[in-house]
Amino acid sequence: MKTQILQVDDVSIQLAAKGIVDGKTVAYPTDTVYGLGANALNEEAVKKVYSAKGRQITKPLIVCVADKAMFKRVVQKITPTASKLIDLFLPGALTLVLPKSDIVPSVVTAGGANIAVRIPKSDIALKLIRYAGVPITAPSANTSSKPSPTLAKHVQDDLNGKIDYILDGGACDIGIESTVIDLTGKPRMLRSGGVDLEAIEKVVGKVEVERHETNYAKQYAPKASVYFSAFYDEMHHTICDRYDMLSMRGQTPVILCVSDRNKLYGKRNYYDMGDSYDDYAHNLFAALRRADDDGYNAVIAEGIPAGGIGDTLINRLIRSSGGQII
Ligand code: TXA
Ligand code: MG
């Protein structure tokens, strides 16, 4: 299959939308990361998404819709709590899990009774969905277990020849995936992400948190080994020690650090992750992929204080390191 890369304008979005209607696969930019779209109501098209990603058929897909009316079509009902969250946070980086409606084929939910839905805050994604007129699948458009794609190039590196179109809309705003909240019982967070838990709790009260920290299943992983430092004032000493030890063993490490700490690493190689932890999050997946492209075989990531976007960064880095914490 030849993958066509389309520069974004109205004509190309319409072409991609027609592709969706015809059962094709389209990678498209969202506010969080690039998504891999297919008509969520077309079983055969949805199967192509699993096979392009190499994703296990037991892992359900998120679906993106354009507005609350379309949201209503894919769930049995919008509960009062869901309604509040939709009005406050969507379009945005929040995904809600609710019992699915009958029009959604079970391949989307991996055979389960519930569906994960969000409205992306991206004009390109919203136009694509509106022109297609159907809900569109929205798993991250990467090969399973790789870092999520925040540029069209990342999608191309993973999925070239496996999907029909890539809509190139430049870099994603947030660069990290949506927060996933299960509303089928008491509100429960399944994944931290672009919307802070604290902001959600202000609206719905206490949210239970699924603890993944004991399960170090590797995800978001580049080819390079990732080491993740705990956060404390003097962490640069530990990071430098690890860097020097790896170098002595003939490896080529690179450090991920925030701007005002660059100077602590002397002549060692580093990527500047920006001034803030939001920048660190925005740049994380791209940096992990760049390390491979630049020929580094170890990445040592600075620790981040807990809370807000920090929790999401810690979650992604623990997984990406497979639990190699220094
Ligand atoms: O920001 C995002 O959410 C991006 C953009 C493209 O929308 N998508 C994304 O999809 O991150 P993916 O497939 O990489 O991650 C989906 C997460 C997984 O943790 C999956 O287990 C969970 O959502 N999920 C999907 N459907 C679910 C369901 N029916 N019930 C519970 N969890 C679900
Ligand atoms: Mg993913």
Side-chain angles (χ1 to χ4, degrees), residues 32-33 35 55 60-62 114 116 118 138-140 177-178 190-191:
T32 58
V33 300
R55 183 178 182 117
L61 306 179
I62 291 181
N114 306 321
R118 88 179 178 103
S140 49
E177 305 89 339
S178 61
L190 304 181
R191 179 178 73 185

Side-chain angles (χ1 to χ4, degrees), residues 120-163:
K121 192 175 181 173
S122 146
D123 288 341
I124 300 167
L126 290 173
K127 275 188 181 171
L128 179 69
I129 302 164
R130 289 211 177 97
Y131 289 150
V134 290
I136 294 179
T137 58
S140 49
N142 54 301
T143 301
S144 274
S145 89
K146 289 282 218 63
S148 296
T150 58
L151 291 173
K153 174 193 182 293
H154 302 156
V155 180
Q156 203 186 348
D157 286 347
D158 280 14
L159 302 181
N160 197 28
K162 297 182 174 171
I163 60 177

Side-chain angles (χ1 to χ4, degrees), residues 279-293:
D279 288 347
Y280 195 145
H282 177 82
N283 296 325
L284 176 65
F285 291 137
L288 293 173
R289 285 175 177 268
R290 187 181 149 200
D292 285 345
D293 290 346

